[in-house]
Amino acid sequence: MIESIKARICYDSRGDESIEVDVKVDGVVGRACAPKGASVGRREAVNFNPAGVEATLRLLFEYSPKLIGLDSSDIQLLSQVLREIDGTENFSRIGGAAAYAITVATAEATAKAKGIPLYKLLSPEGDYSMPYPLGNVLCGGKHAGRGAPDIQEFLVCPVGAKSIKEALKANMMVHKEVRKQIEKKDPYFTGGKGDEGGWTPHVKDEEAFELVSSSLKMVSDALGIDIRLGNDFASSSFWDDDKKMYVYSRAGVERSPGEQLEFIMDLVKKYNLFYLEDPFQEEAYDEFVELTKKLRGVYIVGDDLFVTNTSRLLKGAKIGAGNAAILKVNQVGTLGDAIEFAASARECKYALITSHRSGDSTDVHLAHIAIATQSEMIKCGIVGGERLSKLNELLRIDEEIGGCYMIGLEV
Ligand code: PGA
Ligand code: ZN
């Protein structure tokens, strides 16, 4: 039973204000801090009340007595009550950040009170497997300064790893190797990193592909495991809706949707890409369908397209838009809705990638959510405290379960 709720303003990894909540269940406290994106989908839950973070906190103090006494183990009920209190489609009154922090903190407290780990509370059936870590080694777009590439994320994944230990070692090595390769090209590289811990060299997209793919090959050869490259294009952030063009301002190139499709097909061929997140803008269902038809063996992933919203996913699944979905709890607002989204993705045979946000905290819940939803991958960066907290938690869970197997990635 929820006994008490405390909340405060805290800070995320970008130094922005966020909401942190403590929920007490049967004498035990669970705590969660809401993360926050920079390349935010138009259809996402709104983070705060329009009057700001202070107003969001004040509101929370007003309505939280209504949550006291609720059965804390009924995750769906709590989500529903919060939706009713909010009364909008997208949490634009009480704020998605508050909904996130209340629901995740409640789940943590409930698990602690029951003496079980969070992933077990969320998924009591015990056939757990480890997600593959998808790590950001080079940042561009909205996560980096103006000299960096237009494409937001260059991601690596050790698809040939047999264990999470091996997988993390590979990602750490690639991250280090990318820096070395950058320094070879630019002896004055300052070692700057973007919001998610990937390097931010002063290069265009094409050079970034060369740097990352050669680094990845070196580590892959040294460890004898297959490591693959993928991207989050975050295309909505450079889509010009008036011009109907993808504007790569740093590269000085504009691409029509057709040219974008060709560009992506060429990249897949040239760099053997295995993962394409938001290759088109957030309303481009038809282009997603076309690309999905054209490519085999590649994850075509909706992030801003689906925004962890079950009806948007079902719309996409009906027409074959993509074959994988990002799961970000704060995109939809509540943990209950996110769990429901994961179940729908399973039914539609979409792969799941549980993901951090570019502004995040040192909370570890993401690791548990990835395991509980049987996500094929967890996307949470490689270095930086707020990224490592999740990865190190996977190592602890692995130890607890006794060497979790990795199921292998198949598209
Ligand atoms: P965001 O970036 O957290 O800034 O939205 C992550 C992503 O686009 O996947
Ligand atoms: Zn994304």
Side-chain angles (χ1 to χ4, degrees):
M1 191 186 82
I2 297 180
E3 290 173 353
S4 70
I5 296 179
K6 283 210 288 189
R8 63 191 67 84
I9 290 170
C10 66
Y11 292 91
D12 71 12
S13 55
R14 255 193 298 260
D16 288 341
E17 286 176 331
S18 182
I19 299 272
E20 183 175 78
V21 172
D22 296 352
V23 176
K24 197 190 270 182
V25 168
D26 301 337
V28 183
V29 175
R31 172 174 294 162
C33 172
K36 193 156 136 286
S39 63
V40 176
R42 245 187 304 166
R43 312 281 175 170
E44 287 193 26
V46 173
N47 272 304
F48 305 121
N49 176 279
V53 66
E54 303 265 1
T56 308
L57 189 68
R58 270 198 306 278
L59 258 174
L60 196 159
F61 291 138
E62 274 170 34
Y63 64 77
S64 59
K66 293 185 186 162
L67 308 175
I68 307 301
L70 284 183
D71 175 2
S72 70
S73 51
D74 194 339
I75 292 167
Q76 295 304 339
L77 175 70
L78 180 59
S79 298
Q80 196 190 318
V81 171
L82 284 168
R83 285 214 169 273
E84 279 163 19
I85 291 171
D86 177 72
T88 72
E89 276 274 289
N90 57 356
F91 282 109
S92 53
R93 197 175 83 82
I94 69 166
Y100 172 97
I102 291 169
T103 54
V104 175
T106 301
E108 183 187 292
T110 309
K112 275 189 184 168
K114 286 180 191 271
I116 56 172
L118 179 58
Y119 66 85
K120 249 185 206 161
L121 178 86
L122 300 177
S123 176
E125 313 299 326
D127 195 14
Y128 305 112
S129 62
M130 275 287 151
Y132 285 78
L134 187 62
N136 195 331
V137 291
L138 202 149
C139 290
K142 285 197 169 169
H143 296 166
R146 270 197 290 163
D150 288 290
I151 296 173
Q152 183 177 279
E153 297 171 28
F154 291 76
L155 301 156
V156 296
C157 184
V159 298
K162 299 280 185 304
S163 68
I164 189 69
K165 281 185 197 147
E166 197 179 29
L168 293 189
K169 185 175 176 185
N171 277 4
M172 302 294 158
M173 283 173 72
V174 178
H175 190 270
K176 288 195 172 83
E177 187 58 39
V178 171
R179 179 179 180 149
K180 280 194 205 152
Q181 298 288 327
I182 296 169
E183 282 172 344
K184 270 192 203 158
K185 281 196 129 244
D186 175 7
Y188 296 105
F189 178 56
T190 61
K193 297 198 211 88
D195 288 355
E196 294 182 348
W199 305 108
T200 51
H202 193 161
V203 296
K204 301 212 169 102
D205 296 317
E206 193 72 8
E207 286 169 282
F209 276 108
E210 293 295 335
L211 282 167
V212 176
S213 61
S214 63
S215 308
L216 177 156
K217 189 173 179 322
M218 285 180 79
V219 177
S220 189
D221 289 348
L223 293 179
I225 60 169
D226 195 12
I227 307 172
R228 298 282 296 274
L229 172 56
N231 294 90
D232 181 1
F233 290 83
S235 297
S236 301
S237 56
F238 53 88
W239 167 250
D240 186 322
D241 205 38
D242 295 327
K243 288 186 180 173
K244 305 289 177 212
M245 297 290 266
Y246 293 96
V247 180
Y248 290 71
S249 54
R250 297 161 190 187
V253 182
E254 297 191 359
R255 295 185 172 94
S256 68
E259 287 164 345
Q260 174 80 348
L261 186 108
E262 288 307 315
F263 174 59
I264 284 170
M265 298 280 291
D266 287 348
L267 290 175
V268 170
K269 222 177 180 177
K270 193 162 178 196
Y271 299 105
N272 194 22
L273 303 183
F274 91 113
Y275 178 99
L276 305 167
E277 183 178 331
D278 285 347
F280 301 103
Q281 53 95 3
E282 60 204 316
E283 300 301 338
Y285 276 93
D286 293 344
E287 282 90 334
F288 268 83
V289 173
E290 217 179 319
L291 190 66
T292 312
K293 276 192 198 141
K294 284 203 153 82
L295 291 174
R296 286 279 162 268
V298 179
Y299 288 96
I300 299 167
V301 188
D303 172 16
D304 293 347
L305 180 74
F306 298 137
V307 288
T308 318
N309 177 310
T310 302
S311 53
R312 288 186 68 89
L313 173 72
L314 295 180
K315 177 180 169 185
K318 214 167 155 188
I319 52 174
N323 52 31
I326 286 280
L327 183 144
K328 290 172 172 167
V329 175
N330 81 325
Q331 271 183 333
V332 63
T334 71
L335 184 56
D337 287 333
I339 296 287
E340 208 179 270
F341 177 85
S344 301
R346 286 280 151 258
E347 274 170 33
C348 300
K349 306 228 173 330
Y350 272 50
L352 268 179
I353 300 98
T354 291
S355 169
H356 62 174
R357 298 309 303 247
S358 51
D360 216 304
S361 76
T362 51
D363 282 1
V364 301
H365 308 111
L366 199 81
H368 291 259
I369 294 166
I371 291 190
T373 54
Q374 296 177 342
S375 291
E376 277 80 353
M377 288 177 253
I378 182 169
K379 183 182 168 201
C380 65
I382 299 182
V383 297
E386 71 283 6
R387 317 293 156 193
L388 282 169
S389 57
K390 285 90 175 146
L391 298 174
N392 285 334
E393 184 71 355
L394 286 177
L395 292 174
R396 290 180 208 109
I397 297 172
D398 186 52
E399 200 176 285
E400 185 181 284
I401 296 174
C404 223
Y405 66 100
M406 304 201 57
I407 44 176
L409 290 179
E410 253 173 58
V411 195

